Each structure stands twice: as C-alpha cells, then as structure tokens.
C-alpha cells in the first residue's frame, strides 16, 4: 500500500519571497515590484520565487470562503524574505502583519529619502522614524531616491506616487540583493522530532504528545504548507497542468487525511511508536485554526497562483516528490511481529551493552576440534535473557514461512526427511559453510527479517535494536535459542536462488543449517560439478559467507556399496536401490556405550542411579532410537548382533 511520509530532511527547491507595497499595476512596466521581481528571479537563476501577492490573491480570485487574515499569516510564515515598499497606510499595515507574525522571516523595508519627496508627512517616513527606530534585527531599512509623481487630490493637497528613476533599481538596493547572505543558504533542513506538549521552538521542529488514544502533533505553518501543497500537487498533477479553474475538484477532506498520514508516518519512523488506526490524530499550529481550514487555504493559494499569476515561469514546486514528502510502500509495524514491551526493549539494550552479565563463553572439545559456544549464565539475568530470546524466537517462528529446501529447525521436518530427498541420487556434491552462525552479521539479519516478516523499512532502526540483543557483538552466536531461526531467515533468499539455479540444471538441493547437499539422478561430470561449485560459492559470497573448502566432497556411485555421509547418515548404493544407514562406526560406538552403561549400572545395582547415569541412559535411548528411525528393525538387529555375545538374552526393543 502506497502512502505519503514527510521527509526526515526537507529541501525547499524554490523558496518564496514576497513583494509588498501599494498600487500594484501588472500592466505598468515601471511598477517597482514588477522590476524587483524580475531582478530577484534572474539574479539567482530562478532558484527563488518572488511573488507579488496582489497579482493573484485578490478578493475575486479567492472567493468568500477565504479569510484574508489566515492567508496573510500563511504568507508571512512561508516567506523566506519579504520586501515592502513603505509608502502608504496599506503598506504599513502589511509591514505590521509580517513583523508581528510569530515567524522568523526576514523583512526588508524600502523607504523614499525624505529630501526627495514633497509630502514630509509620508507614512513611510513616519514609520521609519517612529515605529522602526528600535527595530528588531530581522527588519532592514533601506532608503532610496525615487521618481515622484504628484497627483492633485484637493486644492491644498497632492498625493505622491513613487517609482524607480529611469525604471532602474537604485544601486544600494541592487548591491544589497546581490550580497544578501540569505540567498547563499541551502534551504535544506533536518526535521527534529520532540516528545513535548509545547509548540515547536523553530520552523523545522515537530512536537508530539500521546494521551491514551489521542496523538497531538504541533508543527510550523511553513512545514505544513509545503507538505500540503506537495501532496496536492502529487495527487492532482494533471489538474494543475491543465490549469483547471474548478477548485471544487480538489477533495480537501482527502488532502487533510493524507497530510495527517504523512506526519504520522514520519513520527512512526523516527520514534518507533505504533500509531493504530483507532487513534485520533490532531495537528495544530500557532494559528489555532483547524487543519482542514488551513489545508483549504493552502490549496486555494496553490490553485489561485496556478491560474491567476502572471509570473508563471514555473510551478511553485519544481519537484515535489522526495524533497518535502516521499511516497512509500507501507507494510507492517515492527511490533506487529515482535510485540516487545518497553521493559523488554530496555532489557535488550542492557544485553547489548553488558553481554557478560547475561552470557558466558564455553569451549567444547570433540577430538581435536574445539567449538566455542555462548550459553546463558545460570543467574537471574541469564534466565531473563533466555526468556526474551524465547519470545523473539516464538514470534518469528509463528510468522515465518521457510523455504522448502531448508530442513533445520522446521516443524514436521527431520534429518531423515532431508537426506531422503537424495535417496535416488547417483552423483553428489556436498558442502559445509565455514563458521556459519558466527559469519551472519547483524546488518544481514536486520535486512532479512524486515524482508521476510514484511516489516516497513522505516522501522529498520528498531528492528536492529531488537536483533542486536540476540547477537554477541557483531556475530550470531551458537548456543542462544534465537540463533537458529534468525540464521534460517537470513538464508531463505540464498535457498530460493540456489535451488532455482540448480533445479534448472536438473539437480536436487537441500540445506540443513550449515550443511548443503546437491544430487543428480545421473553421474555428475567435472564440468557440471564446476558449475555447481560456482553457483553455491557465488551465492554464499553475496550473503557474506564462505565455503569450508576442506569439507567439500564430490562423488559418483559407480560401484556397489559406494556411499556419501550427510548429516550423520550414509546414503549407500545397493544392488537394486540406494538405502540409508547410520554406518558401521555408529553401530560400533553405540554398542560400546551400551556395554559401559551396563557395567556401571550393575556396579550400582543396590543403589539408586546417579544423575549422570540417568542422563547417560537417556542419551543411549536416543541413539538407539536414531538407529531405529534411519534403519528400522534391521538397524536394531545389527546392534543386537554386536551385543549378543555379551548379553545373549538382550532385547533392545524392551528398552
């Protein structure tokens, strides 16, 4: 499902500056604002959009539904800079709006020099000397020499109208524009999300507060404006390109919903909070007007500008998508998968920061081989770590559909079922992934879990925080209950790609954790083996994994009793058909273990079995059961034959 989200960094491609003043005449080439507009536009190659409000925001164009006050406040808020020709009471009123606004736009005031005018009671002169004497820093006043036109209003009074001498911008104004530092700034701003009930401290701060099922979002008019018109433009691009005049085509209620959606999506992405459908979202600004009313005015601004302005060298937004808003493919919230509480999140962070409190490293020796395991400490902290990992494991298992070629850790699958897939094979290629668990990185795990669980990519940071609690540093450790399922999720894409490529060659593929077996119904040629090798190796490398070259095996069943051992089971070539066997060595080892067990238990005949002997018995029963599982009764008979000379009356089935 496609939705909008506010960008976490907003770039305004064409910042707006407003040109205010008296008596705008768009047909008069000598109009000061018209001349100034062309200067600003051309000086900065159209990177800024100088607008004369009077050009398009008229009573006729706006209609009765529009509040002039709201529209003026919006203009004040979105303006990068405002220029005011201060001649009349009306322009003094505009100055008041922009200066007294709650927003931080810069204002430049142009006032005729007193010595060049006749009317010494000029409003501009009065405001300059009285009102702006102790002006704030954001107001800059520039005096210029005007061309004066006098018009008799009464027998004793002449009205004065000003323009530029020879229709040329005075040098001091020209230089001031060219050197204005505001035009060298990149209008790119990082959005700051703050959990507070207060209004934003700057234009690019968004504040929020959650109370029960109500979310209150406080934003600046500027960000709201650009978000709103960006969404409008995306939704109604054809409408604007055709310059449709029927404003009613724009669905303001829908626009309002999409704006709320964009804010909520950014909020979720940046904070990880889960905003459910039943929540009530309120978006407020300092204007204390409803979002719908503000959206209506902003839509009207864009519409009127598009159809009425004579300054149409470009649309208001050159490229709305990806600058103010982004179109995203929304999926699941991360907590729909994990359902991790705040307390559990804190525990996971502690496990990452201080792993030695929760785990210990042990080394298991098996012959000459050493294997490092991470185990939970037998402490309260260790038990807590185990429990949270069990929660994560169960959550992933409940929602994960493994690839059919993976057999480890899967309900309803076993070692036998994995090996049986290859029972008809004549040619085999066997592989082992080197340091399988330890080679899986946190970044690969996060990407895989997001992909396989259908989690929205916006929550990557929060998925990472959860999964880091299942890692030992940067490695997925062998020994934690969550590691097997995480490893299988990481390998699903590999399984899908490799199985498809090998099946195309007429081959069968299975994987059981780090063990891979490929088989063919016919002998595998050296050329085909090279292809298999390349497919497996290349795809592993893409996952950041490598083959254990020492454990690679390539074999064809040319003679009777040829065999390949996979997962502790032999696939053996029989006279008529292949069959499964645990192997002679395994039978021998189990028989030896049984004899030792019997000797020790008889020595304790009058005593209760020790715990060590109890577990030895359980282990022995498990091994006998494994022989039964793989070879059936024939395997039990083989084992009994080895033991009959010591125990003639032995009946292993009774065990």
């Amino acid at each position: 499902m496609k939705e909008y989200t506010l960008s976490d960094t907003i770039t305004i491609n064409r910042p707006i500056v407003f040109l205010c003043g008296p008596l705008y005449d768009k047909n008069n080439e000598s109009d000061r604002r018209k001349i100034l507009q062309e200067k600003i536009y051309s000086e900065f190659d159209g990177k800024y959009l100088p607008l004369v409000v009077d050009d398009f925001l008229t009573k006729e164009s706006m209609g009765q539904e529009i509040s002039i006050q709201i529209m003026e406040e919006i203009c004040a808020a979105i303006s990068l800079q405002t220029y005011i020709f201060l001649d009349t009471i009306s322009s003094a009123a505009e100055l008041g709006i922009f200066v007294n606004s709650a927003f931080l736009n810069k204002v430049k005031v142009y006032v005729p020099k007193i010595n060049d005018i006749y009317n010494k009671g000029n409003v501009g002169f009065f405001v300059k000397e009285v009102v702006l004497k102790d002006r704030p820093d954001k107001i800059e006043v520039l005096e210029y020499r005007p061309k004066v036109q006098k018009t008799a209003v009464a027998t004793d009074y002449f009205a004065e109208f000003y323009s530029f001498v020879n229709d040329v911008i005075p040098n001091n104004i020209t230089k001031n524009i060219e050197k204005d530092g505001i035009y060298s700034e990149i209008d790119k701003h990082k959005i700051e999300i703050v959990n507070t009930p207060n209004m934003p401290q700057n234009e690019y701060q968004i504040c929020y507060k959650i109370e029960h099922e109500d979310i209150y979002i406080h934003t600046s008019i500027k960000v709201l404006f650009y978000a709103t018109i960006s969404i409008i433009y995306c939704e109604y691009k054809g409408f604007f390109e055709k310059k449709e005049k029927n404003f009613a085509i724009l669905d303001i209620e829908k626009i309002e919903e999409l704006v709320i959606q964009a804010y909520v999506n950014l909020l979720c992405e940046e904070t990880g909070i889960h905003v459910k459908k039943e929540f009530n979202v309120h978006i407020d600004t300092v204007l204390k007007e409803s979002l719908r009313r503000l959206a209506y005015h902003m839509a009207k601004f864009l519409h009127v500008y598009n159809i009425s302005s004579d300054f149409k060298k470009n649309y208001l937004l050159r490229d709305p998508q990806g600058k103010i808003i982004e179109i995203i493919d929304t999926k699941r919230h991360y907590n729909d998968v994990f359902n991790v509480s705040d307390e559990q999140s804190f525990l996971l962070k502690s496990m990452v920061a201080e792993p030695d409190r929760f785990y210990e490293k042990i080394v298991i020796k098996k012959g000459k081989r050493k294997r490092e395991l991470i185990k939970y400490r037998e402490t309260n902290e260790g038990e807590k770590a185990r429990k949270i990992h069990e929660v994560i494991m169960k959550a992933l298992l409940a929602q994960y559909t493994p690839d059919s070629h993976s057999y480890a850790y899967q309900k309803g699958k076993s070692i036998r079922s994995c090996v049986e897939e290859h029972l008809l094979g004549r040619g085999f290629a066997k592989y082992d992934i080197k340091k399988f668990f330890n080679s899986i990185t946190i970044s690969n795990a996060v990407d895989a879990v997001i992909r396989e669980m259908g989690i929205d990519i916006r929550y990557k940071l929060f998925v990472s925080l959860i999964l880091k609690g299942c890692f030992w540093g940067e490695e997925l450790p062998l020994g934690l209950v969550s590691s097997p399922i995480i490893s299988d999720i990481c390998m699903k894409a590999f399984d899908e790609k490799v199985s498809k490529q090998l099946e195309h060659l007429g081959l069968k593929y299975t994987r059981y954790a780090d063990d891979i077996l490929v088989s063919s119904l016919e002998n595998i040629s050296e050329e085909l083996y090279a292809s298999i090798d390349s497919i497996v190796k290349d795809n592993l490398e893409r996952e950041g994994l490598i083959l254990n070259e020492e454990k690679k095996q390539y074999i064809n069943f040319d003679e009777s009793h040829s065999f390949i051992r996979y997962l502790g089971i032999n696939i053996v070539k029989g006279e008529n058909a292949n069959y499964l066997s645990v192997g002679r060595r395994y039978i021998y080892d189990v028989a030896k273990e049984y004899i030792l067990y019997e000797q020790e238990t008889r020595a304790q005949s009058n005593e209760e079995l020790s715990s060590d002997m109890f577990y030895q018995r359980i282990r022995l029963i498990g091994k006998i059961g494994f022989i039964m599982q793989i070879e059936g009764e024939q395997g039990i008979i083989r084992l009994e034959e080895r033991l009959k000379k010591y125990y003639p009356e032995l009946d292993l089935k009774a065990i």
Side-chain angles (χ1 to χ4, degrees), residues 6 10 12 14-16 18 49 51 56-57 70-71 73-80 103 203-204 219-233 255 259 263 283 285 287 291 294-303 305 316-317 320 324-325:
L6 269 177
I10 285 181
I12 300 172
R14 303 193 69 203
I16 296 172
F18 285 110
L49 187 62
L51 296 179
F56 60 100
L57 290 182
I70 293 176
M71 195 64 84
E73 289 284 0
I74 291 172
C75 290
I78 67 176
S79 176
L80 176 70
F103 313 104
E203 293 172 310
Y204 300 98
T219 183
S220 70
I221 294 291
K222 192 169 191 173
V223 171
L224 181 63
F225 173 82
Y226 281 103
T228 302
I229 66 171
S230 295
I231 289 170
I232 293 171
Y233 189 86
I255 292 167
V259 170
Y263 272 86
I283 295 182
T285 69
L287 293 185
L291 177 59
L294 289 175
Y296 184 91
H297 280 71
M298 292 170 181
K300 193 71 174 178
F301 181 102
L302 184 61
H303 180 241
Y305 166 76
L316 186 59
L317 295 171
I324 313 297
I325 59 164

Side-chain angles (χ1 to χ4, degrees), residues 502-550:
L502 293 175
E503 284 169 5
H504 185 69
L505 299 174
L507 304 169
K508 189 172 286 289
Y509 160 87
T510 63
R511 182 183 60 82
Y512 196 99
D514 56 349
D515 292 299
I516 294 170
L517 187 62
V518 181
S519 66
S520 169
L521 296 176
E522 305 293 336
N523 285 356
I524 296 175
S525 66
E526 290 188 7
E527 184 181 0
L528 180 56
Y529 176 64
S531 296
I532 297 169
D533 209 50
S534 177
I535 288 170
V536 174
K537 187 181 291 185
D538 291 349
N539 280 285
L540 276 178
E541 287 177 355
R542 289 190 187 99
E543 301 297 329
L545 303 171
I546 57 174
L547 285 176
N548 189 334
E549 295 290 340
E550 295 178 0

Side-chain angles (χ1 to χ4, degrees), residues 4 217 231 255-265 281-283 291:
Y4 295 105
I217 298 174
I231 289 170
I255 292 167
E256 178 191 28
E257 291 174 357
L258 293 175
V259 170
I260 291 172
Q261 177 196 87
Y263 272 86
V264 168
N265 282 336
V281 183
H282 314 270
I283 295 182
L291 177 59

Side-chain angles (χ1 to χ4, degrees), residues 75-201:
C75 290
I78 67 176
S79 176
L80 176 70
Q81 187 155 256
T82 302
Y83 298 85
I84 298 178
F85 289 94
L86 192 57
D87 300 348
T88 63
I89 292 177
S90 63
S91 58
E94 287 181 309
L95 174 64
I97 292 169
F98 283 92
V99 171
N100 296 316
S101 167
F103 313 104
L104 300 176
N105 53 292
K106 298 282 185 177
V107 179
K108 296 206 174 188
V109 179
Y110 296 145
V111 180
K113 287 186 176 182
I114 189 65
N115 294 331
D116 291 326
I117 62 178
Y118 299 95
N119 183 5
K120 306 301 181 183
N122 175 273
V123 169
F125 176 73
F126 175 79
V127 173
K128 171 181 172 293
E129 294 298 317
V130 179
V131 181
L132 300 179
K133 191 173 184 180
D134 298 314
R135 61 184 179 270
D137 292 338
K138 68 178 182 179
I139 300 176
E140 183 179 1
V141 179
L142 282 86
E143 293 183 328
Y144 68 99
R145 301 195 67 181
K147 177 182 176 182
V148 183
Q149 179 183 344
K150 295 194 296 181
T151 302
V153 177
T155 54
D156 59 347
Y157 180 76
F158 290 88
E160 292 181 355
F161 301 96
Y162 309 121
S163 58
F164 292 140
V165 178
N166 298 322
D167 297 336
V168 175
I169 300 175
N171 282 335
N172 64 324
I173 294 179
T174 298
K175 290 179 181 178
N176 185 263
I177 293 171
E178 293 171 350
K179 296 180 180 180
D180 196 340
I182 201 166
Y183 293 116
S184 62
E185 298 174 5
I186 299 173
D187 212 358
K188 184 175 182 179
H189 306 271
K190 176 73 178 173
I191 295 292
E192 180 188 12
I193 307 293
V194 183
N195 186 2
T196 174
N198 301 323
M199 282 291 171
Q201 297 300 301

Side-chain angles (χ1 to χ4, degrees), residues 218-275:
H218 309 300
T219 183
S220 70
I221 294 291
K222 192 169 191 173
V223 171
L224 181 63
F225 173 82
Y226 281 103
T228 302
I229 66 171
S230 295
I231 289 170
I232 293 171
Y233 189 86
C234 289
E235 288 289 308
Y236 299 97
K237 189 175 180 180
F239 173 88
F240 288 102
E241 288 176 348
K242 294 176 183 177
K243 299 190 182 297
E244 290 280 356
K245 293 186 178 181
N246 185 10
F247 181 73
I249 294 175
L250 301 182
D251 187 342
I252 303 299
E253 185 177 349
K254 177 187 176 183
I255 292 167
E256 178 191 28
E257 291 174 357
L258 293 175
V259 170
I260 291 172
Q261 177 196 87
Y263 272 86
V264 168
N265 282 336
L266 178 63
L267 190 64
C268 292
E269 180 182 351
E270 293 294 304
T271 66
I273 62 172
H274 193 181
V275 180

Side-chain angles (χ1 to χ4, degrees), residues 375-390:
K375 68 181 291 284
Y376 301 100
R377 290 192 178 275
E378 295 180 3
T379 61
N380 186 42
E381 281 86 356
E383 186 60 25
K384 285 181 179 178
R386 179 190 291 276
K387 284 183 177 178
I388 185 63
H389 285 164
E390 286 176 349

Side-chain angles (χ1 to χ4, degrees), residues 183-420:
Y183 293 116
S184 62
E185 298 174 5
I186 299 173
D187 212 358
K188 184 175 182 179
H189 306 271
K190 176 73 178 173
I191 295 292
E192 180 188 12
I193 307 293
V194 183
N195 186 2
T196 174
N198 301 323
M199 282 291 171
Q201 297 300 301
N202 61 67
E203 293 172 310
Y204 300 98
Q205 189 180 83
I206 296 174
C207 303
Y208 76 97
K209 190 70 178 178
I210 301 176
E211 295 180 1
H212 306 295
E213 292 186 349
D214 289 283
I215 299 179
Y216 298 92
I217 298 174
H218 309 300
T219 183
S220 70
I221 294 291
K222 192 169 191 173
V223 171
L224 181 63
F225 173 82
Y226 281 103
T228 302
I229 66 171
S230 295
I231 289 170
I232 293 171
Y233 189 86
C234 289
E235 288 289 308
Y236 299 97
K237 189 175 180 180
F239 173 88
F240 288 102
E241 288 176 348
K242 294 176 183 177
K243 299 190 182 297
E244 290 280 356
K245 293 186 178 181
N246 185 10
F247 181 73
I249 294 175
L250 301 182
D251 187 342
I252 303 299
E253 185 177 349
K254 177 187 176 183
I255 292 167
E256 178 191 28
E257 291 174 357
L258 293 175
V259 170
I260 291 172
Q261 177 196 87
Y263 272 86
V264 168
N265 282 336
L266 178 63
L267 190 64
C268 292
E269 180 182 351
E270 293 294 304
T271 66
I273 62 172
H274 193 181
V275 180
K276 300 178 181 177
K277 290 183 179 179
E278 59 267 25
F279 282 19
N280 301 308
V281 183
H282 314 270
I283 295 182
D284 300 315
T285 69
V286 295
L287 293 185
K288 304 301 180 185
E289 297 285 346
S290 71
L291 177 59
R292 187 168 301 179
R293 187 156 167 76
L294 289 175
Y296 184 91
H297 280 71
M298 292 170 181
K300 193 71 174 178
F301 181 102
L302 184 61
H303 180 241
V304 172
Y305 166 76
N306 189 59
I307 64 172
S308 301
S309 177
D310 280 346
F311 198 73
K312 302 175 189 173
K313 296 187 177 180
N314 212 328
Y315 287 109
L316 186 59
L317 295 171
R318 187 176 286 165
D319 181 16
Q321 298 182 33
K323 307 299 180 184
I324 313 297
I325 59 164
E326 297 173 22
I327 298 175
I328 57 173
D329 188 10
T330 60
K331 296 180 179 178
R332 302 171 74 187
H333 191 275
Y334 73 96
N335 246 357
D336 289 338
V337 176
F338 295 104
N339 196 27
V340 173
S341 66
D342 290 341
E343 184 181 352
Q344 290 170 325
S345 294
F346 182 78
L347 174 63
L348 287 165
K349 290 177 183 177
S350 300
M351 289 157 62
V352 174
E354 302 177 89
D356 291 335
R357 281 177 52 202
F358 302 90
Y359 318 112
E360 60 181 317
K361 186 182 288 187
I362 60 173
V363 179
I364 297 177
K365 292 183 179 179
K366 192 175 180 180
K368 295 181 179 180
R369 293 176 59 194
K370 291 182 180 180
R371 205 172 193 184
E372 285 188 349
L373 294 178
I374 303 298
K375 68 181 291 284
Y376 301 100
R377 290 192 178 275
E378 295 180 3
T379 61
N380 186 42
E381 281 86 356
E383 186 60 25
K384 285 181 179 178
R386 179 190 291 276
K387 284 183 177 178
I388 185 63
H389 285 164
E390 286 176 349
V391 169
I392 292 170
M393 174 193 68
K394 289 175 181 177
L396 293 173
L397 280 172
Q399 301 171 82
Y400 172 58
T401 303
D403 184 76
S404 61
H405 302 86
S406 172
Y407 281 78
Y409 328 119
Q410 311 299 336
K411 192 175 181 180
K413 292 184 176 181
S414 65
I415 288 174
R416 179 186 174 96
S417 64
C418 181
V419 179
E420 276 185 325

